[in-house]
Amino acid sequence: MNSSRGMSRRKFLKLTGITTTLMVLDSPLRNFEVVYAFGQHPQEKAPYIVTKKVPQVCARACECDCHYDVVVGIDQITGLERALTIEGRPEDPVARGKYCIKALGFVDGMYNPDRLLVALKRTNPQKGEGVDPGWVVVKSEDAVNEIIEKMKQYRPDQILFASPGDPYSNRLCRSLGATRSDQRTECFGTHYYLNSLMVTNPPNKYYSSTYTVTHSLWGFDYSETKYMLWFGFDSFSKTSKAGILNHIAEGKRKGTKIVFFNPVKTPLADGMADEYYPIKPGTDLAVALAMIKVIVDEKLYQTDFLKDYTDAGALIDIDTNMHVSDEQGVWLAWDAVAKKASPINQCANIALDGGPYTFEHNGKTITAKPVLQLLQENVVKYTPEWAAQISEVPAEDIARIAREFAQAAPTVCIPNLKRDAAGPNYANSWRLMHAINILHALTGTF
């Protein structure tokens, strides 16, 4: 550490730049060093002759499902046919001919000498550093049958699937009557498998992810977004998903305003952000709560959206903290004109705030308040000044951003990654995602 104290920032960046260049020159993507058969390169100078292009859809654990062609060619020396590289398909409305760094490694991974092509079985049960696991090659069929026989020793309720939520493992899990639990948990009734068009697969009556718009960034019309907030990290560079980034870039060209709340200022933030705030790590929730307070107190929310698509006007029993429902289970709302509680889907004049309202229901005296009123009461102390002390983001900027965000609604969004805004390892990330969803509801951007 002491030896580096005299190194200037410029010298450090220069050194890391040289290191990065060397890594690029000695790229692990070996297959790209010999492909010259594209563009204006003459075929006679290429070691491969392109023979065909096979259309494929990327399935690399990403919901964008970018469409590309696998370019196949023949080695002029050996006569062997092999995949050479991939090319994007501009007619794909999602990726628009682009693909991310994960796709770039497909061909190289296919021919990687370390790629595992056989099933291996451990023969040494002893574990520890330096212990030979004793792997032996077995037939795939034998491996599958052995696993099946072992599973037969347990009851379905004793089996727990830890899987990524793909349709095949879901189908297997359901056929066995077993329970599945992982970071994409189904305990809330969701199967958590999406594609870029938000079509659930396999069919499920529950939509999308647990508490979020989606489990990922996809789900907003970024090309037409007018105002965008990034909480917790530089989402533009972190996601690296071509099917998303090209739409964000298009929106930016059309004038999308992007505000970053990020402890780390990245080069992309310099190029993409209209405003950048070096927020104190783990305090994004405070800023989001203060924004909610400004929007609710100043009635900047989308009233029609809240009445038509949310439970903002639904009555909550003050004693039980539960929705008040009729005999069919339909929530009740307060009719501001008729001065009575009515089924929310039949109430013409829903009161979003006010109360408490007292009325007789099913032989009981109920005292209740609308959800939006309770929200306003719950954020009463979360002022921009309060959030500024915690987050180190100026109070006047928090209030202004909240107003600008609400005024640009409904073409606004706060992109989120996975279940929560910045991953489950970040402070207050689950509550932050809850607050972000409230902001989306208030602005009618779902």
Side-chain angles (χ1 to χ4, degrees), residues 76 106 185 211 240 371 392:
Q76 297 190 70
F106 282 175
T185 177
Y211 291 130
S240 67
V371 168
E392 299 178 358

Side-chain angles (χ1 to χ4, degrees), residues 308-342:
D308 293 341
Y309 298 107
T310 78
D311 70 340
L315 292 171
I316 301 297
D317 189 324
I318 299 302
D319 294 329
T320 65
N321 289 325
M322 301 291 289
H323 287 91
V324 183
S325 305
D326 63 12
E327 292 75 9
Q328 286 73 42
V330 178
W331 296 331
L332 300 185
W334 186 255
D335 191 314
V337 175
K339 305 297 182 183
K340 67 176 184 178
S342 303

Side-chain angles (χ1 to χ4, degrees), residues 68-382:
Y68 54 74
D69 286 334
V70 178
V71 181
V72 180
I74 293 180
D75 189 317
Q76 297 190 70
I77 298 176
T78 65
L80 296 176
E81 187 177 64
R82 56 162 287 168
L84 303 178
T85 186
I86 63 174
E87 289 183 347
R89 296 177 65 92
E91 65 269 28
D92 175 12
V94 178
R96 298 170 171 175
K98 305 294 193 301
Y99 46 82
C100 74
I101 190 65
K102 292 183 290 185
L104 283 174
F106 282 175
V107 174
D108 197 69
M110 183 184 301
Y111 299 106
N112 193 310
D114 296 325
R115 179 185 175 192
L116 189 60
L117 299 174
V118 296
L120 298 179
K121 179 180 178 180
R122 186 187 185 102
T123 60
N124 186 358
Q126 300 298 321
K127 298 181 180 180
E129 187 176 354
V131 176
D132 183 2
W135 296 110
V136 295
V137 177
V138 296
K139 293 182 178 179
S140 297
E141 182 179 358
D142 294 340
V144 171
N145 289 333
E146 185 173 335
I147 293 172
I148 292 174
E149 290 303 317
K150 287 186 178 180
M151 293 180 68
K152 288 180 179 179
Q153 300 174 16
Y154 301 94
R155 301 190 311 270
D157 61 337
Q158 294 177 312
I159 299 175
L160 183 67
F161 271 69
S163 66
D166 61 89
Y168 303 103
S169 60
N170 282 347
R171 186 178 302 175
L172 174 60
C173 183
R174 288 197 301 273
S175 68
L176 296 174
T179 302
R180 190 173 74 81
S181 177
D182 63 0
Q183 69 167 3
R184 303 172 183 182
T185 177
E186 283 187 325
C187 63
F188 292 94
T190 65
H191 60 277
Y192 215 87
Y193 185 79
L194 310 175
N195 66 14
S196 62
L197 299 179
M198 306 307 300
V199 178
T200 54
N201 180 16
N204 189 297
K205 65 178 180 179
Y206 300 100
Y207 178 72
S208 188
S209 179
T210 308
Y211 291 130
T212 65
V213 182
T214 76
H215 76 281
S216 63
L217 283 151
W218 197 262
F220 299 103
D221 188 352
Y222 294 115
S223 299
E224 302 299 329
T225 297
K226 294 180 180 178
Y227 207 103
M228 191 181 302
L229 301 181
W230 294 113
F231 270 111
F233 62 99
D234 179 359
S235 302
F236 189 88
S237 60
K238 184 171 181 179
T239 60
S240 67
K241 299 177 180 179
I244 295 171
L245 302 190
N246 75 83
H247 293 271
I248 296 177
E250 180 185 356
K252 182 64 179 176
R253 291 192 295 270
K254 292 181 177 180
T256 301
K257 181 171 183 177
I258 301 179
V259 178
F260 278 30
F261 296 105
N262 189 351
V264 179
K265 188 175 185 181
T266 65
L268 273 172
D270 287 333
M272 296 297 293
D274 295 278
E275 295 181 24
Y276 165 77
Y277 296 92
I279 192 170
K280 187 176 180 179
T283 65
D284 309 87
L285 176 61
V287 173
L289 289 171
M291 289 183 61
I292 292 173
K293 176 175 175 58
V294 171
I295 293 174
V296 172
D297 286 353
E298 299 181 13
K299 299 185 184 301
L300 301 176
Y301 43 76
Q302 298 286 306
T303 302
D304 290 341
F305 181 87
L306 292 179
K307 290 181 178 181
D308 293 341
Y309 298 107
T310 78
D311 70 340
L315 292 171
I316 301 297
D317 189 324
I318 299 302
D319 294 329
T320 65
N321 289 325
M322 301 291 289
H323 287 91
V324 183
S325 305
D326 63 12
E327 292 75 9
Q328 286 73 42
V330 178
W331 296 331
L332 300 185
W334 186 255
D335 191 314
V337 175
K339 305 297 182 183
K340 67 176 184 178
S342 303
I344 195 169
N345 55 359
Q346 301 174 16
C347 189
N349 305 283
I350 297 176
L352 293 177
D353 53 15
Y357 302 109
T358 302
F359 54 93
E360 295 296 319
H361 180 63
N362 292 337
K364 294 175 55 179
T365 300
I366 302 292
T367 301
K369 293 181 181 179
V371 168
L372 189 65
Q373 177 63 37
L374 292 174
L375 174 63
Q376 184 174 17
E377 294 174 6
N378 273 283
V379 297
V380 66
K381 66 178 181 180
Y382 302 136

